[in-house]
């Protein structure tokens, strides 16, 4: 199992045995090859961080629930909490590993220094031009893919190996070609062969789904007799299969791999096409980075002695902050809901789900604006289907007088999964739109899905009954309440809970503090001002 528990941190990479995970609390998946997913299954119930392509595959093929999968964009830096109070955080940057679809390297930066975990990777000089690496930052620990870390094993580049495969196929113009592959990887090689020989490449339905996801050229099919190049599982390439294939049509098989493999038939050809870095490439990579230490990922094949002349002086073992120690020592049976909320707060733009809009002067204008807004939302939602689902919608509206003298430049999250807009009639001709959220978590007590924000807040009389008249009866349906001619109190007595007050507090009223008590005090201060303002208005009336 090629997994690692990074010492003195709560980080685990490609490690899925909770029984042996000890103090690990943050789990990362470098790619979807089976030797890196041992123990990962549909029963997994912890946040799992990976690239978007790997996120799709881990849900599609391992049935891991989407609620636990955190897809992080490649090439971008992401901030994650290292404790349950948000005091310690780390930055993780995903870099393309040039190994297989979705494979990434992880660059971790935090109290522990800077750690680069390559996972399986094939080095190219362009990797050193990544913004996260080219700034000359010191790598304290390099976890290195040492699969081919052997001076006696000389490998050609992938371009040279591909040329060898092309020449071999040209020598057999009348033969069918069987390419033995693992379930993931070398799709670009298949595309190159199809374009070179102007033929369809026959795939399994599962692999066809993958290449369609990758957006490769339309040269793949599942029709058995459509082309002469067939991608098969590498385990199928054996003596008995060769005898069977050659009974119907002359056939050769190619195994593009750097692994030591015995050919059991004269028509089975092994070409050293590898998705792992060669020894010379590893030497160049380590010499360029000059890490303080190199830790081999494949433990059965030590390689530290090969890089001693390229290492920087080692640093002392970092001290683990107290809050991180508490987090690492806490029970690992269930992830903390507070930690999940902190993770979302750090990951997403810090925006409020409240939009303040002035009422139109007439009912006709109001209805027209609502229809226009619905049309815009439909168009915008359709546009988002092809882009990221969470994008800020900029607004600029005046706030309540006497409380804030400036205009509010806010960013309101707009997601394609928004299902409902609730309109609460408020004083001062202001309507409040509470947007539902698509982020759901498991309740730690009941196991049921719960939302970060309340999905709806009813407006009614003191008995909690729904408003009547021309308004829809409020029972939690996904339909907005219509405007009432009589303004209801912004915070009715039965709905004066702190959670609702949070929702109704403008974003720019908060000061930058990471303290729940501090935020609570600011919210209460805001609503005391609001209550005093309403009482003064009632006195004048």
């Amino acid at each position: 199992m090629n997994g690692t528990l990074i010492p003195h941190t709560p980080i685990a990479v490609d490690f899925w045995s909770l029984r042996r995970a000890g103090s690990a609390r943050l789990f990362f998946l470098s790619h979807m090859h089976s030797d890196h997913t041992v123990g990962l299954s549909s029963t997994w119930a912890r946040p799992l961080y990976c690239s978007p392509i790997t996120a799709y595959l881990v849900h599609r093929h391992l049935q891991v629930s989407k609620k636990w999968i955190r897809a992080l964009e490649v090439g971008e830096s992401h901030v994650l909490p290292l404790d349950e109070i948000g005091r310690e955080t780390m930055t993780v940057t995903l870099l393309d590993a040039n190994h297989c679809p979705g494979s990434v390297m992880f660059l971790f930066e935090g109290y522990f220094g800077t750690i680069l975990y390559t996972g399986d990777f094939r080095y190219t000089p362009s990797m050193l031009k990544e913004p996260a690496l080219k700034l000359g930052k010191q790598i304290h620990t390099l976890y290195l893919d040492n699969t081919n870390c052997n001076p006696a094993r000389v490998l050609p580049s992938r371009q040279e190996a591909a040329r060898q495969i092309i020449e071999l196929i040209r020598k057999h113009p009348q033969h069918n070609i069987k390419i033995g592959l693992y379930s993931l990887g070398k799709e670009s090689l298949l595309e190159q062969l199809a374009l070179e020989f102007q033929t369809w490449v026959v795939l399994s339905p599962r692999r066809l789904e993958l290449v369609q996801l990758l957006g490769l050229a339309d040269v793949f099919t599942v029709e058995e007799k459509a082309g002469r190049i067939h991608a098969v599982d590498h385990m199928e390439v054996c003596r008995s299969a060769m005898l069977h294939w050659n009974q119907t049509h002359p056939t050769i098989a190619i195994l593009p791999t750097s692994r030591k493999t015995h050919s059991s038939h004269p028509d089975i050809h092994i070409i050293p096409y590898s998705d792992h870095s060669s020894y010379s490439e590893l030497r160049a990579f380590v010499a360029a980075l000059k890490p303080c230490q190199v830790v081999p990922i494949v433990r059965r094949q030590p390689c530290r002695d090969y890089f001693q002349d390229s290492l920087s002086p080692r640093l002392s073992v970092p001290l683990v902050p107290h809050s991180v120690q508490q987090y690492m020592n806490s029970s690992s049976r269930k992830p903390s809901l507070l930690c999940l909320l902190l993770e979302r707060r750090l990951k997403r733009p810090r925006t409020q789900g409240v939009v303040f809009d002035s009422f139109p002067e007439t009912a006709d204008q109001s209805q027209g604006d609502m229809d226009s807004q619905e049309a815009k939302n439909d168009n915008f939602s359709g546009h988002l289907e092809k882009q990221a689902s969470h994008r800020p919608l900029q607004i600029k509206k005046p706030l309540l007088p006497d409380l804030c003298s400036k205009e509010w430049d806010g960013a309101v999250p707009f997601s394609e999964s928004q299902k409902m807009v609730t309109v609460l009639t408020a004083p001062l001709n202001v309507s409040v739109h509470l947007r539902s959220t698509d982020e759901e978590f498991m309740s730690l007590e009941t196991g049921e899905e719960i939302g970060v924000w309340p999905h709806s807040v009813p407006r009614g009389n003191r008995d909690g009954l729904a408003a009547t008249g021309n308004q829809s009866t409020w029972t939690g349906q996904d339909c907005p309440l219509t405007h009432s001619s009589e303004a209801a109190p912004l915070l009715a007595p039965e709905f004066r809970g702190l959670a609702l007050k949070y929702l109704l507090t403008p974003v720019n009223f908060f000061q930058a503090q990471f303290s729940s008590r501090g935020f609570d005090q600011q919210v209460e201060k805001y609503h005391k001002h609001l209550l005093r303002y309403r009482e003064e208005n009632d006195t004048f009336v």
Side-chain angles (χ1 to χ4, degrees):
M1 167 174 171
N2 292 329
T4 299
L5 299 173
I6 299 181
H8 313 295
T9 77
I11 302 171
V13 186
D14 298 341
F15 194 98
W16 312 109
S17 173
L18 291 177
R19 181 175 57 84
R20 298 188 293 118
S23 58
R25 296 294 180 269
L26 299 171
F27 296 85
F28 296 82
L29 176 59
S30 64
H31 65 291
M32 263 291 287
H33 278 160
S34 59
D35 56 332
H36 292 258
T37 59
V38 176
L40 185 58
S41 67
S42 60
T43 61
W44 185 261
R46 302 289 186 279
L48 179 161
Y49 302 91
C50 59
S51 69
I53 291 178
T54 300
Y56 170 84
L57 296 174
V58 78
H59 171 69
R60 183 76 171 85
H61 299 305
L62 296 183
Q63 286 77 52
V64 175
S65 173
K66 287 183 178 181
K67 75 168 64 176
W68 300 118
I69 301 173
R70 310 287 190 263
L72 305 179
E73 289 298 328
V74 179
E76 297 183 7
S77 296
H78 309 267
V79 179
L80 298 178
L82 290 174
D83 56 27
E84 294 184 331
I85 59 177
R87 181 175 299 164
E88 287 291 335
T89 63
M90 75 170 179
T91 300
V92 56
T93 307
L94 279 63
L95 308 173
D96 184 5
N98 192 35
H99 176 69
C100 71
S103 63
V104 293
M105 302 184 286
F106 294 108
L107 182 68
F108 302 108
E109 299 173 87
Y111 70 85
F112 42 75
T114 302
I115 298 173
L116 178 60
Y117 189 97
T118 68
D120 290 351
F121 86 121
R122 183 78 195 247
Y123 169 73
T124 63
S126 62
M127 291 178 175
L128 300 176
K129 298 179 181 179
E130 290 282 353
L133 293 178
K134 73 177 184 180
L135 298 178
K137 64 181 60 176
Q138 178 65 60
I139 304 297
H140 299 106
T141 304
L142 173 62
Y143 286 85
L144 188 66
D145 171 19
N146 57 317
T147 301
N148 293 325
C149 189
N150 185 345
R153 184 181 300 176
V154 179
L155 295 175
S157 66
R158 285 198 291 201
Q159 292 76 13
E160 174 58 31
R163 283 194 290 269
Q164 295 179 24
I165 295 174
I166 290 173
E167 290 302 319
L168 177 61
I169 295 176
R170 282 183 179 150
K171 293 177 181 178
H172 299 82
Q174 304 302 321
H175 286 61
N176 283 344
I177 313 298
K178 304 289 185 179
I179 310 289
L181 303 174
Y182 291 92
S183 60
L184 181 67
K186 299 182 173 66
E187 288 75 18
S188 59
L189 171 63
L190 297 177
E191 180 187 44
Q192 182 180 355
L193 296 178
L195 297 175
E196 178 71 28
F197 295 101
Q198 296 295 299
T199 181
W200 292 96
V201 174
V202 181
L203 306 177
S204 65
R206 172 172 172 167
R207 200 173 203 113
L208 180 63
E209 178 184 351
L210 172 63
V211 298
Q212 291 173 341
L213 175 70
L214 298 176
L216 299 179
D218 186 16
V219 294
F220 302 99
T221 182
V222 295
E223 297 183 18
E224 191 70 22
K225 298 181 180 180
R228 57 187 290 245
I229 299 179
H230 297 227
V232 299
D233 188 274
H234 72 287
M235 296 297 292
E236 291 184 42
V237 180
C238 59
R239 179 178 178 82
S240 59
M242 292 301 302
L243 295 175
H244 173 71
W245 289 329
N246 278 282
Q247 286 179 355
T248 56
H249 194 279
T251 302
I252 65 169
I254 299 174
L255 292 174
T257 179
S258 62
R259 296 176 182 270
K260 295 180 179 180
T261 304
H262 173 69
S263 177
S264 58
H265 190 277
D267 286 329
I268 298 178
H269 303 268
I270 301 172
I271 304 295
Y273 184 104
S274 180
D275 290 324
H276 296 268
S277 301
S278 66
Y279 174 76
S280 61
E281 291 167 345
L282 293 176
R283 288 277 300 170
F285 185 59
V286 176
L289 292 180
K290 292 182 170 54
C292 297
Q293 64 173 330
V294 174
V295 179
I297 292 177
V298 184
R299 296 183 183 85
R300 64 180 180 274
Q301 187 174 316
C303 67
R304 298 179 186 178
D305 295 340
Y306 296 133
F307 307 109
Q308 289 300 321
D309 58 342
S310 299
L311 300 183
S312 299
R314 293 190 62 171
L315 303 179
S316 59
V317 177
L319 295 177
V320 182
H322 180 66
S323 61
V324 180
Q325 290 181 12
Q326 289 182 319
Y327 180 44
M328 295 168 65
N329 294 332
S330 63
S331 173
S332 62
R333 291 187 177 182
K334 289 283 187 178
S336 166
L337 178 60
L338 177 58
C339 190
L340 292 175
L341 295 175
L342 282 172
E343 167 201 330
R344 289 302 179 188
R345 187 178 188 89
L346 290 169
K347 180 179 177 183
R348 294 191 164 197
R350 297 188 179 185
T351 55
Q352 296 290 323
V354 182
V355 185
F356 292 89
D357 286 331
S358 299
F359 277 164
E361 295 182 359
T362 65
D364 293 339
Q365 290 176 338
S366 175
Q367 185 62 39
D369 289 346
M370 291 176 64
D371 293 341
S372 174
Q373 186 63 35
E374 289 178 1
K376 290 180 180 179
N377 288 349
D378 291 341
N379 294 335
F380 193 56
S381 298
H383 177 66
L384 285 178
E385 291 178 0
K386 298 182 179 180
Q387 300 183 17
S389 63
H390 194 88
R391 186 165 299 227
L393 176 63
Q394 295 296 329
I395 63 171
K396 195 170 187 178
K397 295 292 180 183
L399 286 177
L400 298 177
D402 298 340
L403 297 182
C404 299
S405 59
K406 298 181 180 180
E407 288 187 325
W408 172 33
D409 263 316
V412 178
F414 194 94
S415 171
E416 63 181 346
S417 61
Q418 288 169 349
K419 303 174 182 177
M420 174 179 59
V421 176
T422 306
V423 181
L424 300 181
T425 305
L428 307 177
N429 291 336
V430 172
S431 64
V432 184
H433 299 248
L434 301 181
R435 304 192 186 280
S436 69
T437 176
D438 62 338
E439 298 302 330
E440 294 181 335
F441 304 98
M442 291 295 293
S443 168
L444 302 186
E445 298 180 356
T446 65
E448 298 176 353
E449 290 187 344
I450 60 174
V452 179
W453 302 106
H455 284 280
S456 59
V457 181
R459 182 186 70 178
N461 55 24
R462 293 181 178 271
D463 297 328
L465 298 177
T468 58
N470 62 347
Q471 299 180 357
S472 304
T473 302
W474 183 258
T475 56
Q477 302 98 320
D478 293 354
C479 59
L481 294 178
T482 57
H483 300 300
S484 171
S485 59
E486 181 179 355
L490 182 60
L491 289 176
E494 60 268 35
F495 304 128
R496 287 178 179 168
L498 188 59
L500 180 57
K501 291 181 180 179
Y502 259 94
L503 286 172
L504 299 179
T505 303
V507 63
N508 71 332
F509 191 82
F510 291 110
Q511 300 175 0
Q513 298 180 17
F514 214 122
S515 164
S516 59
R517 182 179 179 183
F519 274 104
D520 294 348
Q521 292 174 346
Q522 293 177 56
V523 171
E524 294 293 357
K525 179 180 178 181
Y526 171 83
H527 287 284
K528 284 180 180 178
H529 282 297
L530 178 61
L531 183 59
R532 187 182 306 117
Y533 175 81
R534 291 182 60 242
E535 290 175 348
E536 292 175 356
N537 278 0
D538 291 343
T539 301
F540 288 126
V541 173

